[in-house]
Amino acid sequence: MAKDTLKKYAPIVMAALLCACAIFIAVRSELLPITTGSRTPIHVTTAAVSTIHKPVTIIRAGSVKNAVTIPVNAEFAGSISDVFVTEKQSVKAGQPLFKLQAIPGAAGDTAANPSQAAQSNYVKALEEYNRYQALYELGGISRVQLENAKSRLQAVQGGSVGSKNSASATTTAENRTVTIESPIDGTVIGLTRAPGKMIQAGEQVMALGNGQAIEAVVRLEQSDLYGIQLSAPAAIEVASQTITGQVAAIYPAVEANQVSAFWVHIKFTSKAADTLKPGMSANIRISTGDSVTVPVIPTAAILQDNQGQTFIYIADNGKAVRQQVDIGETKGEFTEITSNVPAEVRVIKSNLDKIKQSYAIIDAS
């Protein structure tokens, strides 16, 4: 008989135990508020949801690489008549680097066939200008670089191109003097030629780099590139450290004869650790110079429960009401709220360790 009674009431007992456990968990999680009429209201201070201007930052995965150098070569055979820069000097795009004087009859000198040489120079300059124009429209180069390419095109577009007078063309080619300008912002490295030295067409005179052995590189899509400018500040998170930097150069990534993306090269502006090596992964943040308005609340008002959920307490008609929130970046005393929190609410920011869901409160703000 006792066994039959136990079997009869066992489901009821189990249901009662499960209900009690559920109520206990709900109370502990503040899903089921327990209040008493005798609880003394807790004095708290509150703050309104405010806004700040948040800088727009592009965050992408990149890496540390050996610094890229850009060779500066002689356009034709001749003599270097002037050098305007020195080793390790910083230069700006468009700044004169050296002056090249054509020498009649020099080996490799295009003056031997002036008409053909002039036409070849014009075609090269035109191709260069068209390429720079396309890159400028995509945001890949600065306006200065485009203007430099235009100037070079105009320089070779003069009397020698298409001239019917070969003697005139020869004179133009043989007496040609060209000032070579820097194509990028950079640092002069590997300066090997001095004034008066002879040089062949295509020989390297110097190279331009960022003056560092390594740099950070990140790949960006065209949509990202519109917000990036040369010299834009950046932060490189690598090897448990954050290094400041700035955008030094932007080059197109050409795949299947098309510009598929862009490589952004960042030089370090603060000292990097000697442990940094090419190939290391890095998290790179580049400032666009723009900003957006975002809602923020005091960081001190934000709590986290045992399940890792972030929440706040809102003052609502003399009671504390818990509301789950999603958060963004923290800037000093304020943290961005990325979930929907009404602008008119008051967020409790003090005595948070003494209140729970539906506790009576007095706003002393």
Side-chain angles (χ1 to χ4, degrees), residues 132-256:
Y132 275 44
Q133 177 71 34
L135 290 175
Y136 176 76
E137 291 174 355
L138 293 172
I141 62 171
S142 67
R143 181 72 184 180
V144 172
Q145 290 172 276
L146 177 63
E147 292 297 332
N148 290 340
K150 183 177 181 180
S151 297
R152 287 191 289 271
L153 174 61
Q154 292 173 339
V156 299
Q157 204 171 10
S160 62
V161 177
S163 172
K164 297 180 180 179
N165 189 330
S166 60
S168 174
T170 302
T171 301
T172 303
E174 291 186 353
N175 293 290
R176 184 161 46 129
T177 300
V178 174
T179 298
I180 307 299
E181 299 174 342
S182 176
I184 62 169
D185 293 349
T187 301
V188 176
I189 56 177
L191 178 58
T192 59
R193 300 290 180 170
K197 296 292 184 180
M198 293 290 297
I199 191 168
Q200 301 302 314
E203 279 194 68
Q204 182 173 318
V205 179
M206 65 183 72
L208 297 173
N210 61 22
Q212 299 171 348
I214 57 176
E215 64 184 2
V217 179
V218 60
R219 180 185 174 107
L220 296 183
E221 301 302 321
Q222 179 180 334
S223 57
D224 296 325
L225 199 66
Y226 287 118
I228 302 297
Q229 301 292 332
L230 292 175
S231 300
I236 304 96
E237 299 169 357
V238 57
S240 301
Q241 62 179 313
T242 299
I243 307 167
T244 58
Q246 65 177 198
V247 175
I250 302 173
Y251 302 118
V254 180
E255 298 174 355

